[in-house]
Amino acid sequence: MALQPLDAIQVNSREGGPSFSLSNRLFRALWNLTWALLASWTPPPFGAWRRFLLMLFGARMGVACDVRGTAKVWYPPHLQMADRSLLADRVNCYNMAPISLGERALVSQGAHLCAGSHDIRTRDFQLIAKPIHIGADVWVAAEAFVGPGVKIGEGSVLGARAVAFKSLEPWGVYAGNPAQFVKRRVILGTAGDTSAPGDAGR
């Protein structure tokens, strides 16, 4: 179900007009009611049930991935989660545009994935939406913010309360507002191997 913001001039959104179609708003109202009644109160072991509900509303969910009950998914058809990825408690997945998570990607408590913004150059403050991609083995730490159009490369870490408005390279550790490169992420392996998985064969 493709989703496109309405023209701000035509709907007069600055004066309270809708940003999305009536059918989309009704769909999201039904989704929010369903999640509130059937999922928001469920404990962590009920992941399969929450996954089923998300898939019922159009999300693409991998094996053993999970969205915790207190997390919020704005529009399930725009959510794609690979195997063993996780949206933790109180994550705000504001997916006006598609948001995807790679295998084993972890988005920690209170983080905000924001795929929507406004064009500040327009008098009518036109709503815009750009997709977010979070690569495999990424960790978005507690209360971090990921903005529209950001791609987080495989294995990267976005530190607690950091703010990313630009894409992050693979296997880096980033912190601050705006997020800045801090160091290379190193994965401790066997027999003293300390190279990042992304360095294999280099």
Side-chain angles (χ1 to χ4, degrees):
M1 299 174 66
L3 184 60
Q4 185 68 33
L6 299 176
D7 186 286
I9 296 176
Q10 293 182 3
V11 299
N12 196 20
S13 59
R14 285 298 295 268
E15 302 299 325
S19 296
F20 293 93
S21 66
L22 177 60
S23 61
N24 174 262
R25 285 177 280 145
L26 291 174
F27 176 90
R28 287 187 287 111
L30 178 59
W31 161 246
N32 288 330
L33 180 63
T34 300
W35 190 260
L37 294 177
L38 301 180
S40 63
W41 53 271
T42 55
F46 281 58
W49 169 244
R50 294 187 296 272
R51 192 162 57 247
F52 167 77
L53 291 176
L54 283 156
M55 293 173 65
L56 187 65
F57 277 81
R60 289 171 288 174
M61 309 292 286
V63 175
C65 62
D66 190 15
V67 175
R68 293 294 164 83
T70 56
K72 294 181 179 179
V73 176
W74 190 81
Y75 187 59
H78 276 178
L79 178 63
Q80 180 176 358
M81 297 180 65
D83 297 352
R84 297 178 297 284
S85 57
L86 172 67
L87 297 181
D89 289 300
R90 305 186 313 282
V91 167
N92 187 357
C93 182
Y94 197 39
N95 53 347
M96 290 180 171
I99 292 179
S100 60
L101 280 73
E103 292 186 1
R104 299 172 300 279
L106 169 60
V107 181
S108 286
Q109 292 87 343
H112 191 156
L113 309 179
C114 184
S117 186
H118 293 272
D119 188 345
I120 61 174
R121 301 168 300 175
T122 63
R123 187 177 301 276
D124 292 283
F125 212 45
Q126 175 64 48
L127 181 68
I128 54 177
K130 297 180 181 180
I132 292 171
H133 176 70
I134 298 172
D137 296 302
V138 164
W139 179 24
V140 177
E143 299 184 0
F145 181 94
V146 180
V150 170
K151 296 181 180 180
I152 302 182
E154 177 185 3
S156 281
V157 175
L158 181 62
R161 296 193 172 182
V163 177
F165 281 109
K166 296 182 179 180
S167 295
L168 309 183
E169 295 296 321
W171 300 102
V173 178
Y174 294 81
N177 180 6
Q180 301 291 329
F181 177 81
V182 175
K183 61 181 179 180
R184 185 85 170 151
R185 183 182 181 186
V186 175
I187 303 297
L188 298 177
T190 58
D193 179 15
T194 59
S195 60
D199 289 336
R202 294 184 183 180

